[in-house]
Every structure is written in structure tokens, then in C-alpha cells.
Amino acid sequence: MKWSKYFQNPTYLEMTRKFMLNQDLKPLIVKYLGIESGMEVLDVGCGTGAFTRYLVEELLEESKKCEFTGIDYDEKLIEVAKQYVSEKISVQDIKYIIGNAYKLPFDNNKFDLIVSHTFLGIASDVKTALNEMIRVVKPGGSIASVTSMSYGHQAWHEGYYPEKEWRKELSDLADKIIYIYERVHSTWEFVLGKPSSEIPHFFAESGLKNVRIYGLGRVFSLSNAAMSKEEKEEYIIGMYEAEVCKFKNYWEIEEFRKYLTKQEKDKYLSLLNENKNFLLKNIGENIFWDWHGGANLLVIGDVVKNK
């Protein structure tokens, strides 16, 4: 699918969730969502299933057992979601299916709760999507959305790295390549939904009741001593692999190759590898401190249906 090939490949999705989903907030989010044992929960636009697993891991800690279903239209993302479940979650009550959020393949009044992570920020038809969610939720059930308050980082620092010529070279070349990415496939081809600021009113306007909002903070840095060495290694290697995959997919496009020489291509891949090795070599440092932070908005509304 175009999404996972050119915009957010599975590895990139998984790595970005490491800073979008604050692990310390798991108990709080489960509490806000009101998840209890025996509930049927649907994750719409689940991608690689990162948010589903995030919730399930906390429920296992609380000895709560629920049935989860994740749905996404991108076959590659669902394939990876299934793989992650088999490798990382020791329960059998999570299933992932390929499907259309604008025509959910479920009976009316099936789920106790529907969740989505970033979906309403990118959906091309949020009204139809929300109406479908309302249709398949039981009377008295809830619908919840997590979206970023900003597509960029709301606070950040570029860090205190030693001046190395190759880092400046990588930065300049990366800026050029990002520009070409946008020229060939603009971000706005993919980000089509509502900004987080509009979602609370949108929920109320769509008929949901008791609409409530919660702010969820997030911050990330490889200099952070609160992160384990293993977590940092996974992130460094994952982001490297994600960018290499994305770049090679774009290189297949004739229009992309009009703006970049083969020498620049080879140089970029070499510099990405050098940057990865540099970060891995300095994984225990506590002085560079490039970091970024922001917040997500959790919006929840209850479904009331006429009998």
C-alpha cells in the first residue's frame, strides 16, 4: 500500500510509538478509558498494532482480560501487527484484520469501546469513520481518540554534538531529500483528517455525550538515562532501517531520481550508516542531549442510542 511504502513504513511506525506512547502513562490511560475485564475493544486504524499492545500489556499487569480487534486497510501493516503479537504478547485474544474504517465489517452494537491512535488526524472522511464507530458500539459504550496536539515537536533542542563534517553533510543532504519526498508525495496526501483542537467539538457535534479530554505528555531523548541501553539500540537501528527502506522505495520512482544523482544516493546511504554507528558507539553518553517533547490529546465520548 502507498501509506506503508512511501509515508510510514512498519518499522518507522513502531519506532515513533516509542516516543509517542509514554510507558509510564499506561495505567492512567487504561483508567481514563474505563477498560474492565470482559470488554470487547476495537482499535480502528491500528497500523502495526502498537497502541493495541500498549493497552493489552497494561491490562495483563492488572490481571484484566479483554478481547481486542485491530483493523487497518494497509495489508503490510496488518501483516506486521500479527507478527508482533505472536512474538511479543503471550495471549490469544488479540486479532488483526484488513478492513475499511468507512465501512466496518462488524454487526451493529458489537463493541464496548472503540479506540484509535492518530487515526482521526489522517482519515480522509472523519465523519463517515466516526459514524461507523458509533454504529458498531453498544449503547452506553465509548469511543476514544488519541491525536498529537502538533505534527511537529512542541519543544525541542538540537543537542550539543561534537562538530563533525559528516554530520553537517548528512543534515544538508537529508534536507534536500525531504524536499524531494514532499515534491513526489506530499505529506498532505496522507494527513487528511482533523487537527486535535477540533476533535472534542466534533465528537459532541456527532452526538457523543459526556465528551471529556485529557492531556498526555511525551518527551524523548537518546541521552535520557531513564532509557535502557537495549531500548536505545532498538530505536537507533530501527530508525536507520526505516529511513533506508523509505529512501530505497522512493529511489524506484523515476521522478524522484530526476532530482538526485546516484552519487548523492550512495553518499546519503553511507552517511546514514555512519550516523547509526556513531550513535551506537556513544549510546551511554549523557552530554549530547538533543531532545523533543510535546503532548497528545485523548478525547472520549459516550454513545447513547434511541431504543
Side-chain angles (χ1 to χ4, degrees):
M1 299 292 287
K2 190 174 179 180
W3 179 282
S4 59
K5 187 170 185 177
Y6 299 118
F7 186 53
Q8 293 181 324
N9 58 55
T11 305
Y12 179 83
L13 271 177
E14 282 294 316
M15 294 305 106
T16 55
R17 270 50 188 172
K18 289 184 178 300
F19 59 77
M20 292 184 73
L21 296 172
N22 186 328
Q23 297 301 306
D24 293 335
L25 293 180
K26 281 181 181 178
L28 203 54
I29 293 175
V30 167
K31 176 186 173 182
Y32 290 156
L33 293 173
I35 304 178
E36 298 294 341
S37 290
M39 292 178 73
E40 289 192 60
V41 183
L42 175 66
D43 183 358
V44 175
C46 65
T48 56
F51 191 56
T52 322
R53 299 194 314 271
Y54 179 86
L55 296 175
V56 169
E57 287 164 1
E58 176 57 28
L59 293 170
L60 289 173
E61 286 289 321
E62 298 181 11
S63 299
K64 293 180 179 179
K65 184 176 176 62
C66 300
E67 291 185 17
F68 277 79
T69 302
I71 186 169
D72 200 287
Y73 77 100
D74 193 304
E75 296 179 17
K76 181 62 177 177
L77 298 182
I78 289 295
E79 176 187 328
V80 173
K82 290 179 178 179
Q83 179 182 338
Y84 269 103
V85 165
S86 65
E87 293 176 355
K88 294 180 177 288
I89 302 289
S90 58
V91 292
Q92 301 300 314
D93 49 3
I94 306 176
K95 61 181 178 182
Y96 291 104
I97 63 173
I98 300 164
N100 188 342
Y102 309 126
K103 192 174 182 180
L104 291 171
F106 307 110
D107 294 335
N108 297 348
N109 307 328
K110 176 174 175 54
F111 297 97
D112 299 286
L113 171 68
I114 292 182
V115 299
S116 67
H117 184 264
T118 74
F119 173 71
L120 292 183
I122 55 92
S124 59
D125 187 350
V126 290
K127 187 178 177 77
T128 297
L130 188 58
N131 285 340
E132 274 293 276
M133 294 182 200
I134 292 171
R135 178 182 68 80
V136 301
V137 169
K138 297 174 183 177
S142 300
I143 294 172
S145 165
V146 178
T147 51
S148 178
M149 291 189 189
S150 170
Y151 289 123
H153 303 309
Q154 290 154 292
W156 68 92
H157 193 282
E158 64 184 7
Y160 297 93
Y161 287 89
E163 291 191 16
K164 291 182 179 290
E165 184 178 340
W166 66 265
R167 287 186 62 83
K168 176 66 165 57
E169 201 174 356
L170 174 59
S171 178
D172 291 344
L173 195 49
D175 286 344
K176 179 178 180 177
I177 288 167
I178 290 169
Y179 172 79
I180 303 172
Y181 285 162
E182 285 294 309
R183 190 178 182 96
V184 176
H185 287 307
S186 170
T187 298
W188 302 110
E189 290 182 38
F190 305 98
V191 180
L192 302 169
K194 286 191 175 291
S196 61
S197 59
E198 295 183 13
I199 291 175
H201 175 261
F202 174 61
F203 269 32
E205 187 181 43
S206 300
L208 297 180
K209 305 299 181 183
N210 305 315
V211 176
R212 51 244 187 234
I213 63 175
Y214 304 94
L216 308 174
R218 52 183 171 83
V219 66
F220 184 84
S221 174
L222 286 172
S223 297
N224 190 357
M227 284 181 68
S228 70
K229 178 183 177 183
E230 291 72 24
E231 288 177 304
K232 293 177 182 180
E233 286 177 342
E234 183 182 9
Y235 180 83
I236 293 165
I237 294 170
M239 288 301 279
Y240 164 76
E241 292 177 346
E243 177 57 23
V244 169
C245 176
K246 178 176 181 174
F247 179 80
K248 287 184 175 179
N249 285 337
Y250 269 91
W251 185 254
E252 295 174 356
I253 302 173
E254 183 178 357
E255 183 184 358
F256 183 83
R257 297 196 300 273
K258 290 179 182 178
Y259 304 105
L260 202 72
T261 67
K262 185 177 184 304
Q263 289 75 18
E264 288 174 312
K265 167 204 169 190
D266 293 340
K267 187 64 175 178
Y268 183 58
L269 293 174
S270 173
L271 289 170
L272 285 176
N273 186 61
E274 188 164 357
N275 184 62
K276 176 199 67 176
N277 292 336
F278 172 82
L279 292 174
L280 289 172
K281 182 179 178 181
N282 292 279
I283 208 163
E285 68 77 30
N286 199 223
I287 195 68
F288 296 161
W289 273 103
D290 66 321
W291 69 276
H292 56 81
N296 295 320
L297 186 71
L298 169 59
V299 184
I300 307 170
D302 299 331
V303 175
V304 177
K305 297 181 179 181
N306 296 325
K307 295 182 178 179

